[in-house]
Amino acid sequence: MKKIFAAILLIPMLSFSQEKEALMYFKTGDSLVGVKNSDGQIIVPAQFEVFSFLKDGEPVKGETIYFDGPKKDESKEKNAWGYVYDRKGNFLYRPFFYDNGADYFSEGVRRFVKNGKVGFVDRNGMMIIEAKYDFASPFHYGYAAYCDGCDWEKTEDEHKAIAGGNWGVMDFKGQVTQPVVKPGSTVEIDGKYYPYPFSYTQKEKEVLQFFDKQNKKLSEIYYVNHYERLSEENKKLYFEIVERPKENFPFYQVNAYDYRKAEAGWSGLKFLVSADKREVFALEFDDEKIPFAKWLKEQYKQAEEFQKEHPDNPNKLNKW
């Protein structure tokens, strides 16, 4: 189902990256790619056959340096794609291969590969969970599935599945979590119930209170074009802190989830709150932010226009 939370291209965007030494990609005559600084000093030698469209002199963005492709003449490593370095030129890790490229970040971490095994790193390249699994899913609502002894299906189909092995569920600390008999607050994964995975300090609870106060507005906007009528209880959104302030990232990231604990929205309703709680932004594509009030006003306008065009929509938008 298509959601209305598309990128708002005409609204000025702000990068949340802090000031860093200017780095840029460069290409050699044989199209190998490396990175140098503004003084021309080589940070990472040109040795990568990059598959993404990359101009000579294009700036390096973000907390790390990513090369979207293999080293020249290297042997292929199972499950791995590309290379990630820190901004000083030190190798950090190889991302897990997913969707024809490097794995996406989900709830503040992404999968990486070492010796064919899968683990998790954060946005700075710090290892969060060591690479020891034959496969692991992305984190979702505080949990990730993993398996040992499994492997990709032996098929020529483009989209392959993981088959066999012993499966389990782990939390953000990499600890194996066992299902429970369903009490009041649990998370359902493949028909089994697991304990609510989040815990908060008083300050973090105050961060979430902002979104709880906005819940009705955000849920009305989100569900205005939902094809099925929902009860007020099922229209409620759930907000969780999935990333906390750290080096190069002075924010709390808050994700919204629907009543099924699925991420809300086509690209997810994701927000950033400054460490001092004074600024709130809507996050677009994980590296751009829009002031919350401006974003909310634009989203309400879009939702209002949709309702005018579809007066029979079952989940009405009310006047604020």
Side-chain angles (χ1 to χ4, degrees), residues 31 72 129 164 174 181 214 259 286 292 317:
S31 297
K72 183 180 180 181
I129 298 173
V181 176
Q214 302 288 335
Y259 67 96
D286 291 342
F292 181 82
L317 179 72

Side-chain angles (χ1 to χ4, degrees), residues 100-166:
N100 295 319
D103 192 34
Y104 307 124
F105 280 93
S106 178
E107 299 191 352
V109 295
R110 79 179 341 170
R111 293 170 289 183
F112 81 104
V113 174
K114 184 176 182 180
N115 299 324
K117 300 291 187 177
V118 182
F120 292 86
V121 294
D122 70 8
R123 67 175 63 245
N124 290 322
M126 179 179 294
M127 185 180 70
I128 304 302
I129 298 173
E130 67 175 302
K132 61 180 181 180
Y133 302 103
D134 289 323
F135 176 79
S137 71
F139 269 92
H140 178 77
Y141 207 75
Y143 287 116
Y146 70 88
C147 65
D148 292 314
C150 56
D151 204 348
W152 296 101
E153 288 180 321
K154 307 302 182 184
T155 175
E156 297 301 319
D157 293 344
E158 180 180 358
H159 301 289
K160 300 179 182 180
I162 291 290
N166 298 311

Side-chain angles (χ1 to χ4, degrees), residues 206-223:
E206 293 170 1
V207 169
L208 293 174
Q209 284 173 5
F210 172 85
F211 297 97
D212 289 336
K213 292 177 181 178
Q214 302 288 335
N215 203 317
K216 185 172 178 57
K217 291 181 179 180
L218 292 172
S219 64
E220 283 189 4
I221 288 174
Y222 174 64
Y223 284 114

